[in-house]
Amino acid sequence: MRLKFLLKPGWLALTLVVFTFAITCFTLLAPWQFSRNTEREHQNAALRESFSGQPRSLEQLLPHGAAPDQRTEWHLVAMKGTYLPEGEVVARLRSVQGEAAFEVLTPFRTVEGTVVLVDRGYVRLDDKSRALPFAPPPTGTVDIVTRARHDEKDGKNRDAFADESTGGKLQSYVVDSQVVARAAKLDIRPGYFQLDVNQPGVLGALPLPQTDAGPFFSYALQWIAFGAMALMGWLYFTVRELKPGGALATERPQRRKSVAEMLAEDERSEVAT
């Protein structure tokens, strides 16, 4: 039967590669890009709302100690309280507008007694890759307007550290309220709050993300197309192999002789007789 070629090792290997690639496109790569597109849509919606919306109190936006999520991230939060500079940590290995920077993370105690982490913005590096000197936060009670952000996560779960390379200043690898909480020995609620320009204590205000749709939806469609093309190519070559003379056929159909070959054979037969 012609279908026996489907069991040949080479064809089985090709089939495995094609179907593995197609399944990966349909179940992993395309859904991943769709999810990134959804995240971008949520982010853009939150940013647009924050541009025109009024700041809310911490409990109004995040009641009962809730952490910021996709629904609440980037929303404006108004707080009143005092900075706690003794618990300050500097986040290292950051990039702001394409240049290396540090972000300054300072705990802030609200007048209600809740401690939150405030990202005061960025500072550049000196020629020895250390954070340039930056201004301390203001003393006393201040009113600030911030943007709610969810904590970053470090896959290695590293704590803040201080050594000679940091000049004794506590540094962390991510902006994570719980890393700062352990370093400062404070009870800091989850999430952090990013200062905008002209706010008390702000350094270099971090730029806001662009509100464009991004390429994620088109990337998802491309992965679906790649998976479909792989399957269609496999089907095409399968049909071709079912016909006589396929690339994997063990028996080749006899080629028709040309007129010259037939005349030459006739001449040879006449000479032989």
Side-chain angles (χ1 to χ4, degrees):
M1 294 178 63
R2 297 190 186 279
L3 292 178
K4 287 184 178 180
F5 79 89
L6 293 174
L7 301 178
K8 292 181 177 292
W11 193 262
L12 289 174
L14 175 64
T15 300
L16 178 63
V17 170
V18 168
F19 277 80
T20 300
F21 174 74
I23 291 172
T24 302
C25 288
F26 296 145
T27 64
L28 293 178
L29 298 174
W32 172 52
Q33 292 295 340
F34 279 130
S35 67
R36 295 187 68 189
N37 182 71
T38 301
E39 291 175 4
R40 177 61 66 87
E41 288 177 348
H42 285 303
Q43 173 183 290
N44 291 344
L47 280 169
R48 285 192 292 266
E49 184 176 344
S50 72
F51 295 151
S52 58
Q54 293 298 314
R56 287 186 273 178
S57 70
L58 192 59
E59 282 303 314
Q60 284 177 329
L61 182 68
L62 302 167
H64 312 299
D69 56 18
Q70 285 188 350
R71 182 180 57 84
T72 55
E73 190 174 28
W74 299 108
H75 284 264
L76 295 174
V77 181
M79 292 181 283
K80 184 175 184 176
T82 55
Y83 284 105
L84 305 175
E86 62 275 9
E88 195 166 73
V89 174
V90 175
R92 59 190 282 126
L93 305 177
R94 317 300 291 180
S95 177
V96 179
Q97 295 176 330
E99 296 184 23
F102 288 81
E103 291 180 34
V104 180
L105 316 174
T106 309
F108 183 88
R109 178 176 283 114
T110 69
V111 292
E112 292 81 14
T114 302
V115 180
V116 300
L117 182 63
V118 172
D119 188 332
R120 297 205 290 130
Y122 70 93
V123 292
R124 295 299 184 190
L125 282 62
D126 62 15
D127 56 1
K128 296 182 179 179
S129 297
R130 296 176 302 191
L132 292 169
F134 54 88
T139 59
T141 302
V142 294
D143 292 285
I144 59 175
V145 175
T146 65
R147 294 182 183 274
R149 301 291 309 276
H150 63 75
D151 287 323
E152 298 175 2
K153 295 302 176 186
D154 177 15
K156 298 181 180 179
N157 199 30
R158 292 168 291 188
D159 281 326
F161 69 96
D163 55 25
E164 293 182 0
S165 68
T166 69
K169 187 74 175 177
L170 279 169
Q171 293 190 9
S172 67
Y173 290 94
V174 290
V175 182
D176 185 347
S177 61
Q178 300 316 297
V179 170
V180 179
R182 292 193 295 270
K185 297 179 173 55
L186 292 169
D187 182 16
I188 301 178
R189 65 175 292 158
Y192 69 98
F193 299 85
Q194 178 179 310
L195 285 182
D196 268 344
V197 295
N198 301 323
Q199 293 299 311
V202 70
L203 299 168
L206 292 166
L208 297 178
Q210 298 296 317
T211 55
D212 59 88
F216 309 117
F217 187 79
S218 61
Y219 286 168
L221 296 181
Q222 287 177 15
W223 283 120
I224 292 174
F226 292 154
M229 290 168 61
L231 293 177
M232 292 172 63
W234 178 88
L235 181 61
Y236 167 78
F237 286 109
T238 300
V239 172
R240 195 185 74 171
E241 291 303 324
L242 290 173
K243 298 179 179 180
L248 298 179
T250 56
E251 297 182 359
R252 301 286 182 179
Q254 188 174 3
R255 183 176 64 85
R256 293 184 61 183
K257 296 178 181 179
S258 66
V259 174
E261 289 173 331
M262 289 188 290
L263 291 174
E265 288 181 358
D266 290 341
E267 290 177 0
R268 286 194 295 269
S269 62
E270 289 177 1
V271 171
T273 58

